[in-house]
Amino acid sequence: MAFLKAWYDRCNTSYKARGGQGDFYMVGEAWCDNAEQMAPYYQGLPSNFNFYYWYTLKDRINRGRGDDFARTVNYFRGLFRQNRADFIDAIKLTNHDEDRAASDLGRDINKEKLAAAVLLTSPGKPYIYQGEELGYWGTKSRGDEYVRAPIKWTRGGSVPSAALGGKVDNAMLSENISVEAQTADPASLLNVYKDFAQARNTYKALAKGEMQEISTSNAAVAAWTMSYEGQTVLVAHNFGAGVATVNIPGGELSADNILVRNGVVTANGSSVTLGAYASAVFAE
C-alpha cells in the first residue's frame, strides 16, 4: 500500500502544482477474493472498484431477496472507512473483464432494470460499463471479445467488429438494442438508466447521501433512506417476482412524492406496494 500512497500523493501534488483544484481523483482495481482483502487498498488510493457490490446485488436479485442488501452495502462501507475516512466507493455492475450483467441475470429485462435502479440509488460513485445500459449480454467462455462489443447507435447501423477479430454476437445486436430504438421507447432499459441518473443528479441526498437501512416485513424488499445536508429520500426496491406490500414506519407517502420509479408502484400513508422488480424513490 505504501507504493500506491506514494504514487497517488505524487500525482496529486503534480496536479495541484499545475493549478488543479481540490484533490486528484484516482480509482484502483484490486480484484481480491473478498472485501476484507480489498479494503486496505484504501490506505493508498481514495477510490477502488467495489466488485463485492455486484456480487451481492446479482445474488440477491437472482434469489429474490433484498432484505439484507442495505446492511451488506453498509458493511462494505464500514470496512473501507476503517482504512480511509474520506473513501469514495466506486460501485458498479460488471466491467470489460467479467460476464455481462444481463447474462448474470438470465437476460431477464426486468431484473436488468432493477439492477440499474439499485445501482443509481446506492451510496458511492456509480460506474456503468458501455453497453450495460442497453442490455448487452455475453460471457467470457468464448473469449473476452464477447463482453466488449461496441455500441450500436442506430437501428440500421453496424458496429466495428474488426478490432475484435469478428468475435461479436450479431444476434444480440438487433435493431431493438440500439441507442436509437431504446431512446424512442419510454419503457426501455436505457430510459431506466436515464431516469434514475437524472434523479441522482437532481437530488443531492441520492448522489451524496449515507444509506440507512429500513427493515420491512417482506424479505423480497430492500428499503433505505439516503440523507445529505438536510435532504432525505426514501428508496424502495422489490427484488422479487411477485407483488410486495410493506409498511414504512412513520411514512407519509403518496404518488405525489414519488421522485422516480420503475415498474408499478403505489403508496398510501405508510403502505407501499411494489410490482415485480419495481423500484421507487420518495421525497421525505
Side-chain angles (χ1 to χ4, degrees):
M1 308 312 167
F3 169 78
L4 289 175
K5 184 178 186 307
W7 170 250
Y8 173 75
D9 289 347
R10 176 62 180 270
C11 290
N12 202 26
T13 299
S14 298
Y15 166 71
K16 291 181 177 180
R18 288 163 174 77
Q21 300 298 308
D23 288 326
F24 185 78
Y25 178 70
M26 181 182 292
V27 58
E29 183 179 37
W31 203 337
C32 302
D33 289 338
N34 52 57
E36 291 79 5
Q37 291 179 5
M38 187 273 277
Y41 282 87
Y42 274 105
Q43 296 172 21
L45 298 174
S47 185
N48 288 278
F49 286 118
N50 188 347
F51 292 94
Y52 320 97
Y53 175 90
W54 171 237
Y55 300 159
T56 301
L57 180 55
K58 71 177 178 181
D59 173 76
R60 301 310 191 268
I61 292 177
N62 283 329
R63 289 199 290 126
R65 182 165 186 172
D67 58 343
D68 72 339
F69 179 75
R71 193 177 323 138
T72 305
V73 169
N74 276 334
Y75 168 72
F76 296 149
R77 291 176 64 79
L79 289 176
F80 306 154
R81 189 173 287 111
Q82 290 172 21
N83 290 273
R84 192 182 197 98
D86 60 347
F87 76 98
I88 301 171
D89 189 6
I91 55 174
K92 61 170 202 61
L93 302 187
T94 61
N95 71 12
H96 64 287
D97 280 326
E98 300 176 275
D99 291 348
R100 287 280 192 175
S103 293
D104 283 343
L105 297 174
R107 288 169 55 181
D108 184 323
I109 188 63
N110 294 311
K111 290 182 178 181
E112 294 168 44
K113 290 178 179 180
L114 172 63
V118 175
L119 176 69
L120 292 170
T121 54
S122 294
K125 183 181 288 293
Y127 283 76
I128 301 168
Y129 175 45
Q130 61 90 14
E132 204 158 60
E133 74 279 22
L134 300 173
Y136 273 25
W137 64 79
T139 67
K140 291 163 60 71
S141 59
R142 293 189 294 165
D144 288 350
E145 295 89 347
Y146 286 96
V147 301
R148 299 176 182 175
I151 294 294
K152 183 176 175 66
W153 291 100
T154 63
R155 287 184 172 93
S158 60
V159 302
S161 61
L164 299 176
K167 294 181 179 180
V168 173
D169 188 346
N170 289 308
M172 176 184 72
L173 298 172
S174 66
E175 291 185 4
N176 291 334
I177 210 166
S178 68
V179 174
E180 180 184 12
Q182 292 202 33
T183 298
D185 178 6
S188 70
L189 176 60
L190 177 60
N191 277 314
V192 171
Y193 272 97
K194 285 183 174 182
D195 291 346
F196 278 82
Q198 181 178 23
R200 190 180 184 93
N201 288 334
T202 302
Y203 301 98
K204 60 187 178 182
L206 270 181
K208 298 181 178 181
E210 286 295 325
M211 172 188 272
Q212 180 67 47
E213 178 186 10
I214 296 177
S215 296
T216 74
S217 59
N218 193 315
V221 175
W224 59 84
T225 58
M226 297 279 281
S227 299
Y228 184 77
E229 292 185 347
Q231 183 183 86
T232 297
V233 296
L234 167 68
V235 177
H237 300 284
N238 180 6
F239 282 42
V243 176
T245 298
V246 295
N247 288 314
I248 304 298
E252 291 296 334
L253 308 173
S254 71
D256 293 336
N257 60 354
I258 297 178
L259 304 177
V260 63
R261 78 177 84 190
N262 172 59
V264 178
V265 181
T266 58
N268 184 14
S270 63
S271 178
V272 177
T273 299
L274 301 161
Y277 305 118
S279 302
V281 178
F282 298 85
E284 281 205 338

